[in-house]
Amino acid sequence: MAPVPSTSRNAYLEFNREQWSVLRDAVPLPLSQGELERLRGINEDISLSEVEAVYLPLSRLLNLYVHANQRRSQVVEEFLGERPEDGPYIISVAGSVAVGKSTTARLLQALLQRWPEHPKVELITTDGFLYPLKELKEKQLLSKKGFPQSYDGKMLLDFLKDVKSGKSEVHAPIYSHLEYDRLTDRHHAIRKPDILILEGLNVLQTAHDYPEAGNRLFVSDFVDFSIYVDAKYDLLKRWYIDRFDKFRQGAFTDPNSYFHHYSKLTEGEARKTASKIWDEINGPNLKANIQPTRSRANLILSKGDDHKVNRVWLRR
Ligand SMILES: Nc1ncnc2c1ncn2[C@@H]1O[C@H](COP(=O)(O)OP(=O)(O)OP(=O)(O)O)[C@@H](O)[C@H]1O
Ligand SMILES: CC(C)(CO)[C@@H](O)C(=O)NCCC(=O)O
């Protein structure tokens, strides 16, 4: 577990795994066998005891926050005498490459949808807003993929403005890990969900990180509740290398995969290649741009070995 910077420590309530997991007792929604199987489909590596101990209490907490926000909107409605157009409650999930953001975000989507009100929950990853591969190459940003400058910030902010203003349909680009690029023939249509989960590396950045940005808006200006998924640097590097090796034997064997040539590598060569990509791109990005934003999150999930969350911090 990487320690939260001491300056921000007292801003948080701190829970160990046991203290956090008992908070699920008040979840009046046990998981059915069918639901457990569907959750298993999200990621075969995730243990179901982890879902119950960590993600059920989290879905209960988020449900309470969404309700509080709805009550707040009712106040505005009462005051105005009519209901203004409004957008979804936005939850962001930040953290390093390979920490498990996508898995956390997909689990939360599945769990939040189960609440009796059956909120419509959409999930978007900021990967779709990376500049297309061709442009990244032209801009000489391929070795900076995932760094803030590799995203089309204007496109992402326009998307969020439209969603938050309650527009009836907004389109988000889709990223393909297989093609290592944005898809040109498909998009994700967002039609007024109750909750939008936004998952990405840099979603916690603020004007504080860019003193030259003046009054420019940031993703975080649109977010109602932010989660940072955390783990120690060495664990993250190991997970990245393990995943790369798993892909070498799986996804990379597809001839359409951008990394198809890596499927010909031996395990040792693949691990060395992944280690180099980590040391040159994902590791430096984590240190320079991602980890420094951690202390702004409303909630920090801290993972140890085997992706088990062993500590949770909740902003007071
Ligand atoms: N809760 C979990 N339990 C076990 N394994 C997990 C868990 N979450 C993620 N993993 C594993 O960790 C790896 C990274 O997960 P995931 O793709 O969700 O990460 P990510 O942070 O979204 O990465 P990226 O930013 O690179 O897309 C995968 O191999 C996944 O199987
Ligand atoms: C798409 C991102 C930026 C984030 O998910 C990441 O997976 C990535 O492609 N990073 C660049 C270096 C690499 O190939 O891992």
Side-chain angles (χ1 to χ4, degrees):
M1 166 192 45
V4 167
S6 54
T7 50
S8 60
R9 234 179 206 195
N10 51 15
Y12 286 92
L13 297 168
E14 184 179 344
F15 303 83
N16 64 29
R17 189 180 167 87
E18 288 64 41
Q19 290 165 326
W20 179 257
S21 66
V22 292
L23 296 168
R24 78 175 182 277
D25 288 346
V27 178
L29 292 170
L31 290 158
S32 72
Q33 195 53 38
E35 281 172 324
L36 284 177
E37 272 149 33
R38 271 199 299 283
L39 289 173
R40 168 67 79 218
I42 286 175
N43 180 343
E44 61 191 24
D45 296 331
I46 190 159
S47 82
L48 294 174
S49 60
E50 186 73 2
V51 172
E52 294 193 323
V54 176
Y55 297 94
L56 275 185
L58 180 53
S59 86
R60 172 171 166 249
L61 173 70
L62 290 171
N63 191 49
L64 291 171
Y65 273 114
V66 173
H67 270 283
N69 191 57
Q70 284 164 350
R71 283 199 293 273
R72 200 183 131 273
S73 302
Q74 279 162 10
V75 172
V76 177
E77 186 179 343
E78 210 174 308
F79 178 63
L80 294 176
E82 61 177 358
R83 193 183 163 83
E85 256 335 306
D86 62 353
Y89 189 83
I90 301 188
I91 299 169
S92 68
V93 181
S96 166
V97 166
V99 72
K101 297 180 301 302
S102 315
T103 303
T104 298
R106 277 185 263 133
L107 276 174
L108 286 180
Q109 181 184 29
L111 294 174
L112 288 169
Q113 274 165 345
R114 300 170 60 250
W115 284 90
E117 312 78 19
H118 294 296
K120 185 167 151 196
V121 188
E122 290 281 8
L123 168 57
I124 289 291
T125 143
T126 61
D127 289 351
F129 294 88
L130 281 160
Y131 286 114
L133 194 55
K134 189 166 161 282
E135 261 178 79
L136 284 177
K137 285 182 182 158
E138 282 164 8
K139 293 184 159 84
Q140 311 214 323
L141 284 174
L142 199 53
S143 62
K144 291 276 181 276
K145 197 169 168 217
F147 283 60
Q149 64 269 36
S150 65
Y151 293 87
D152 186 339
K154 181 175 180 320
M155 190 185 193
L156 178 54
L157 286 175
D158 286 347
F159 166 80
L160 288 171
K161 275 182 211 163
D162 284 348
V163 169
K164 206 58 177 165
S165 66
K167 223 173 158 180
S168 56
E169 181 166 322
V170 189
H171 292 176
I174 299 176
Y175 179 79
S176 158
H177 279 283
L178 188 76
E179 294 175 29
Y180 210 57
D181 200 357
R182 185 190 291 174
L183 295 176
T184 50
D185 56 345
R186 278 173 54 205
H187 60 255
H188 189 146
I190 302 293
R191 299 188 185 91
K192 287 184 81 65
D194 302 296
I195 301 172
L196 174 74
I197 302 175
L198 183 70
E199 173 253 305
L201 304 176
N202 298 310
V203 289
L204 275 165
Q205 293 212 317
T206 67
H208 187 80
D209 302 296
Y210 298 89
E212 72 286 3
N215 290 332
R216 181 162 95 67
L217 288 170
F218 284 80
V219 168
S220 49
D221 293 310
F222 295 90
V223 170
D224 297 289
F225 191 90
S226 54
I227 299 171
Y228 186 97
V229 189
D230 193 29
K232 274 190 180 156
Y233 186 88
D234 292 347
L235 269 182
L236 293 166
K237 180 169 176 178
R238 197 174 85 206
W239 292 342
Y240 179 77
I241 296 173
D242 288 348
R243 183 175 62 175
F244 191 93
D245 189 50
K246 211 156 63 175
F247 286 165
R248 175 184 65 95
Q249 305 164 68
F252 295 167
T253 60
D254 182 331
N256 294 319
S257 165
Y258 180 78
F259 281 152
H260 182 55
H261 54 290
Y262 290 146
S263 66
K264 314 269 191 313
L265 301 181
T266 62
E267 180 179 342
E269 289 166 340
R271 287 184 173 273
K272 239 167 116 179
T273 304
S275 174
K276 191 164 175 296
I277 299 175
W278 179 271
D279 290 342
E280 289 176 358
I281 308 179
N282 299 318
N285 191 21
L286 171 61
K287 286 183 179 158
N289 301 308
I290 305 170
Q291 184 140 21
T293 66
R294 180 181 62 184
S295 56
R296 296 202 189 109
N298 293 111
L299 183 111
I300 303 171
L301 294 175
S302 187
K303 287 181 166 186
D305 265 348
D306 302 329
H307 288 269
K308 275 180 96 167
V309 171
N310 49 28
R311 210 157 279 268
V312 179
W313 280 274
L314 172 64
R315 191 172 276 284
R316 289 172 194 272

